[in-house]
Amino acid sequence: MAQPRTIALDAMGGDHGPEVVIPGAAISLERHPALSFILFGDEARIAPVLAAHPALAAKARVVHTTHVVAMNEKPSQALRRGKGSSMWMALDAVQKGEAHAAVSAGNTGALMAMAKLILRPMKGIERPAIAALWPTITAECIVLDVGANIGATARQLTDFTLMGAAMARALFHVERPTAGLLNVGVEDIKGAEEVKEAHALLKAVELPLDYRGFIEGDEIGHGKVDVVVVEGFAGNIALKTAEGTARQIGQYLKDAMMRTWLSRLGALLARGGFRVLKEKMDPRRVNGGTFLGLNGIAVKSHGGTDALGFASAVDLGYEMSESGLLERLAADLETFHHRLGAVSPAP
């Protein structure tokens, strides 16, 4: 039986605020009845939207604040002026133990800066990473980092690998997830020095995962591994390129099906198959990036998503908290860093 879990929501975050956050939370509550919520934001805006969802209203409480972090605010500004904002208060609820996870569709840089300050990185973690779910031919995989950091050392890439594997165990329920380093080729001599060094370390140290070596960009969608590791600059470009390509293919298909009366008839006959394809390619289904490597669970939803997409981010926060991810990851990191110290000099 599922344990009761409380999710702290930045009700004012994103492009639409409560008008998307609250209906999204209501959808997630239908899927996970053990959930309850703390909504941080302007009560005058929240109350009328919440009234339209009585089941959610019965399992939510509102904490009022009019202070909101703007979507275009710099992380440094958000840290100086963000205390008391809906984003800050949601993260603070996790730090105080009042909530099991925080979810926000707000400013990514501000959320990461605040999360690092409030939740603090785990022992031995130099940089937290954003991990995202990625649809594949077989199911889904996890890709990290997709934008928290620009560049990464070999040590950080190995930490990302371990963090991604912990998330894969939590979400995919596999004890030894497969993992690979994203590279420009599969040969050992290719790639940046940091990537090659991380590759050597991952091969040398015994890990609670199955390291498969280098993989190339076209193999991510094939589901070759459960966890794909990359530094944040390339990871974010890969993610945005994949999202754009999915929309491009969808438009190509729509245009082709509407070109002639015969193609329209074919589209009508194949509408069941197209519905399945649309659902598989829908980015809302895997919306939500998790900040891994912190002493608490924080999930970033896409700022422009709708209620269905925000519900996916809430679902992710629930699943991460339900799995006992943080405790297992802390133990894995301690063991890994001990073994790493035996095979390489301290950074």
Side-chain angles (χ1 to χ4, degrees), residues 11-35:
M12 311 308 292
D15 297 342
H16 310 291
E19 288 73 23
V20 161
V21 170
I22 291 172
I27 294 171
S28 190
L29 179 60
E30 291 178 6
R31 298 169 179 167
H32 307 290
L35 277 175

Side-chain angles (χ1 to χ4, degrees), residues 65-106:
T65 179
T66 57
H67 189 177
V68 179
V69 175
M71 293 297 283
N72 61 352
E73 200 162 347
K74 293 180 179 179
S76 57
Q77 295 174 328
L79 280 180
R80 288 196 301 270
R81 303 197 293 250
K83 191 170 184 178
S85 66
S86 55
M87 180 184 290
W88 182 289
M89 294 172 76
L91 293 167
D92 197 45
V94 176
Q95 193 277 327
K96 292 177 178 177
E98 298 171 357
H100 296 90
V103 182
S104 174

Side-chain angles (χ1 to χ4, degrees), residues 251-299:
Q251 189 61 50
Y252 281 165
L253 189 60
K254 182 178 179 180
D255 292 345
M257 291 298 98
M258 295 295 104
R259 186 165 298 168
T260 66
W261 69 267
L262 192 59
S263 63
R264 291 192 185 96
L265 177 61
L268 182 64
L269 295 174
R271 63 184 181 277
F274 287 135
R275 188 180 303 114
V276 172
L277 177 63
K278 181 179 179 181
E279 291 173 357
K280 183 71 174 176
M281 296 178 64
D282 189 348
R284 299 175 302 174
R285 190 174 59 85
V286 291
N287 177 55
T290 304
F291 293 165
L292 291 179
L294 299 172
N295 290 299
I297 298 170
V299 176

Side-chain angles (χ1 to χ4, degrees), residues 2-19:
Q3 296 296 314
R5 299 288 167 179
T6 300
I7 306 294
L9 299 180
D10 170 12
M12 311 308 292
D15 297 342
H16 310 291
E19 288 73 23

